[in-house]
Amino acid sequence: MEFWRLVWQVCLIGSMVAFAVMAIFTTIGGARDIRTLLQRLDDDSK
Amino acid sequence: MSELAREALSRTNFSIYDWGIVVAYLSVSLVIGLFVKRFAVSMTSYIGAGRGVGTWLGVATMTGTELGLITVMYSAEKGFNGGFAAFHIAALAGIVTLMVGLTGFVVVPLRKLKVLTIPEYYEQRFDRSTRILGGTILAFGGILNMGLFLKIGSMFIVGITGLPADGFALFAVMTILLVLVLVYTVLGGMVSVIITDYIQFVVLSFGLLLTTCLAISKLGWTNIFDTVGNRMGESGFNPLADGEFGPSYVVWMAITGLISCAVWPTAVARALSMKSTEALKRQYMWSSISFTIRFMIPYFWGICALVFFVTMAPELEGLFVASSEGGEAELSPLYAMPIFLGRLLPAGVIGVVSAAMIAAFMSTHDSYLLCWSSVITQDVVAPLKSEQMTANQRIRLTRIMIVVIGIFIWAWGLFYDGGDDVWDYMAITGAIYFTGAIPLLIGGLYWKRASTVGAKLSLLAGCSAVLGLEPLRVAVQNALQLPELTSAHVGLLTVGLTSTVFVIGSLAFPSEKQHDKTTTTEK
């Protein structure tokens, strides 16, 4: 049981840190991607 | 419902300010959805966002879609019932998604073919009738799969806000949420879905991390693990031990992990919207984190709810336990997590978290509604019509189907009353489509002898997965006098059956012409 307990503790902490980092990148990069996408769709519709 | 249960549901920190936060958030989502309506002029932009989505936006929309409120609810239920052993599902989902991102397995060859939907690929690789059959089964299984989304999501809102669970509130919440999602999805299509998904991702990720930190600080890190250990023993941590899971369940979850990211149409729709295969692979590698988190954090919330009831509110614990005479528990375990959050989070924060959860609810509904309705239009109705449908006709039909599916899930949520865990219900209804689709996608892309007859046999055999639903499964178990038959057993047996008939059908009835252009081994 101790083995699995340690595994899940590491998984939980590791995943949360990775998710926090990913959320920052995605928030910044996603805003830039939206601008590009709308520009492209605007050009296409013209 | 007893006075204790009513009191448990109504006591919450949710205040008028929190209602203000939720309403403001919903209004912003709606306005943005309406603003981008002008971009939905062609079918490619309406259901594929013009194939112009960059990596980070792809990650946001993939996360927004696959991390729905339904996911949060059923995962919390699994964590509440199964403890930390449920984490194996999250770990497997993350590993499999990372592998798909590294190798491009299935999704890269599909993106290279420039199809808009999976059944469209069936036509390219096999024939038109396979596309229509595949589209019909896909829409049937998919719509059934989202049948409980609306009800379960509304249960969360009722639980966290303290609205009365046995009155008119659930019905009203279901109706209001559905109408909101329908409005912006119908008008804006995929562009609207992707942009609102992005906003929902930002709110959602903040809400997930904040709530988890607050739960740990309230209950104590060591206390959480110790309580699960005392309560469940080995089976609370080890997924292979006797208890909620076991070896066959773990194998079934590895398969569903692969399906969720590489075969499930709403995820594949994101892959097909990406602007390049390189962006797609990056999207999958990053999304492996969110595919892990989307299960792990809600499991943890469910576990925290259990620890809260055991250590801080023992008078409420009995509400979620079935009586020893075999009677039902007074409250569904689905209510455990929202009741816990309603007491854990302070006013103000609870509004932000509720908005985040409603964001999760909406981002999943919009994508699923758009996905199944576009499959019906593109892959069932359009191929059946003798004359070519125009873009306007297709968009109009897709919009009508979005509304029809919305009405169906509203009615299904009110009337279906199965006894499965929500996750098991979803896995088995999804299996109606995906157990048949696995051989078509993998075999069709990587095995040049795959034939149309094998493909059709596989699709039809996949329908047998419906026997995994609790009422049917119990009937089969009793009729055949089997000692034990779980939904995982039915799912695994169906995968075996579809793969076998696909191979035998392909070898016995080869296609007249080989579709070498779509077989990646030929490239």
Side-chain angles (χ1 to χ4, degrees):
Chain A
M1 190 165 91
E2 285 308 310
F3 166 75
W4 285 106
R5 179 177 164 138
L6 184 65
V7 167
W8 299 137
Q9 283 180 340
V10 171
C11 277
L12 181 60
I13 294 170
S15 305
M16 281 187 58
V17 171
F19 183 65
V21 172
M22 189 195 87
I24 294 167
F25 279 122
T26 306
T27 303
I28 298 166
R32 207 181 46 220
D33 284 346
I34 286 179
R35 209 170 47 229
T36 314
L37 174 69
L38 293 184
Q39 221 158 29
R40 182 175 160 172
L41 289 170
D42 211 18
D43 292 344
D44 287 352
S45 63
K46 282 172 190 167
Chain B
M1 187 180 284
S2 72
E3 201 50 46
L4 183 63
R6 201 165 283 130
E7 199 269 339
L9 280 166
S10 63
R11 215 178 108 198
T12 169
N13 297 332
F14 204 92
S15 67
I16 188 76
Y17 304 109
D18 299 300
W19 277 116
I21 292 169
V22 168
V23 170
Y25 170 74
L26 289 174
S27 309
V28 169
S29 282
L30 197 62
V31 168
I32 289 171
L34 298 177
F35 171 72
V36 298
K37 174 182 178 288
R38 65 195 173 98
F39 296 111
V41 288
S42 71
M43 204 56 187
T44 309
S45 61
Y46 189 73
I47 68 172
R51 292 197 188 93
V53 179
T55 301
W56 296 112
L57 190 53
V59 171
T61 186
M62 179 83 95
T63 308
T65 300
E66 302 306 325
L67 206 170
L69 181 49
I70 181 82
T71 322
V72 174
M73 288 292 276
Y74 68 63
S75 298
E77 184 187 30
K78 269 283 178 237
F80 187 83
N81 291 331
F84 286 97
F87 274 23
H88 78 276
I89 305 172
L92 286 170
I95 291 167
V96 170
T97 309
L98 181 64
M99 296 310 293
V100 170
L102 289 170
T103 60
F105 184 62
V106 176
V107 289
V108 165
L110 271 182
R111 173 63 185 83
K112 283 181 178 166
L113 292 172
K114 294 190 172 174
V115 291
L116 281 172
T117 64
I118 288 175
E120 191 180 338
Y121 157 73
Y122 293 165
E123 180 171 359
Q124 281 198 21
R125 177 65 178 86
F126 302 104
D127 65 6
R128 176 162 287 205
S129 58
T130 309
R131 176 183 189 170
I132 296 169
L133 177 65
T136 307
I137 293 173
L138 169 55
F140 172 70
I143 293 167
L144 208 55
N145 180 263
M146 74 177 298
L148 295 181
F149 283 20
L150 187 59
K151 181 183 181 182
I152 305 293
S154 303
M155 284 171 77
F156 174 86
I157 308 290
V158 166
I160 202 164
T161 56
L163 293 168
D166 55 349
F168 185 68
L170 191 66
F171 171 83
V173 171
M174 282 173 69
T175 309
I176 292 168
L177 288 178
L178 179 65
V179 169
L180 278 172
V181 175
L182 284 179
V183 168
Y184 79 78
T185 310
V186 164
L187 294 177
M190 185 61 105
V191 183
S192 160
V193 166
I194 282 179
I195 293 173
T196 48
D197 275 0
Y198 168 76
I199 298 159
Q200 288 154 6
F201 170 85
V202 175
V203 178
L204 184 62
S205 46
F206 176 72
L208 286 175
L209 292 168
L210 176 69
T211 306
T212 307
C213 292
L214 285 171
I216 293 171
S217 74
K218 170 100 172 175
L219 298 170
W221 177 257
T222 311
N223 178 44
I224 295 170
F225 284 86
D226 287 347
T227 306
V228 171
N230 294 336
R231 182 95 186 158
M232 298 182 179
E234 174 86 6
S235 67
F237 294 95
N238 181 356
L240 302 171
D242 283 341
E244 179 85 3
F245 307 108
S248 61
Y249 195 90
V250 174
V251 175
W252 176 230
M253 287 304 105
I255 293 174
T256 53
L258 174 66
I259 303 310
S260 299
C261 67
V263 179
W264 194 242
T266 50
V268 174
R270 295 298 175 283
L272 301 180
S273 304
M274 298 302 288
K275 64 182 177 188
S276 67
T277 53
E278 289 71 31
L280 187 161
K281 289 172 87 169
R282 277 200 302 275
Q283 175 202 31
Y284 267 75
M285 283 189 270
W286 279 102
S287 294
S288 65
I289 298 171
S290 40
F291 270 77
T292 308
I293 279 294
R294 75 175 181 137
F295 290 133
M296 195 169 279
I297 287 185
Y299 291 150
F300 188 66
W301 290 2
I303 292 166
C304 288
L306 175 73
V307 174
F308 174 77
F309 291 127
V310 171
T311 59
M312 300 177 85
E315 73 281 5
L316 300 181
E317 194 193 348
L319 294 172
F320 305 102
V321 180
S323 68
S324 53
E325 293 86 42
E328 285 187 2
E330 194 161 359
L331 285 179
S332 161
L334 286 164
Y335 276 118
M337 183 270 290
I339 290 175
F340 160 65
L341 291 186
R343 294 177 181 219
L344 167 80
L345 302 172
V349 174
I350 201 171
V352 176
V353 171
S354 300
M357 291 301 108
I358 293 172
F361 173 93
M362 293 170 78
S363 58
T364 304
H365 270 77
D366 54 22
S367 302
Y368 274 64
L369 287 167
L370 187 66
C371 184
W372 308 134
S373 57
S374 58
V375 164
I376 293 172
T377 302
Q378 293 283 88
D379 304 311
V380 181
V381 178
L384 280 172
K385 292 195 92 165
S386 49
E387 73 273 23
Q388 182 84 10
M389 286 176 78
T390 64
N392 279 342
Q393 285 174 325
R394 287 173 192 245
I395 291 175
R396 195 180 313 123
L397 179 62
T398 306
R399 284 175 167 154
I400 292 169
M401 291 318 303
I402 288 172
V403 176
V404 171
I405 296 168
I407 293 169
F408 168 79
I409 59 168
W410 179 84
W412 184 259
L414 287 177
F415 299 116
Y416 178 79
D417 197 22
D420 300 290
D421 269 9
V422 179
W423 169 236
D424 294 326
Y425 167 89
M426 289 183 57
I428 213 69
T429 48
I432 295 168
Y433 150 71
F434 73 67
T435 50
I438 294 170
L440 270 74
L441 281 169
I442 298 176
L445 288 167
Y446 298 101
W447 186 42
K448 64 181 179 181
R449 295 185 69 178
S451 81
T452 304
V453 173
K456 285 179 179 159
L457 287 174
S458 174
L459 286 170
L460 292 171
C463 295
S464 60
V466 77
L467 296 174
L469 283 178
E470 199 216 21
L472 297 172
R473 193 176 72 240
V474 170
V476 170
Q477 192 175 346
N478 291 339
L480 301 178
Q481 296 188 329
L482 298 169
E484 188 192 25
L485 187 67
T486 65
S487 57
H489 291 145
V490 175
L492 289 172
L493 284 170
T494 312
V495 172
L497 177 67
T498 56
S499 305
T500 306
V501 297
F502 179 75
V503 171
I504 292 173
S506 296
L507 293 176
F509 303 97
S511 293
E512 284 179 14
K513 59 168 186 169
Q514 292 293 332
H515 298 255
D516 290 347
K517 61 178 180 158
T518 58
T519 311
T520 54
T521 49
E522 297 289 297
K523 289 180 192 272

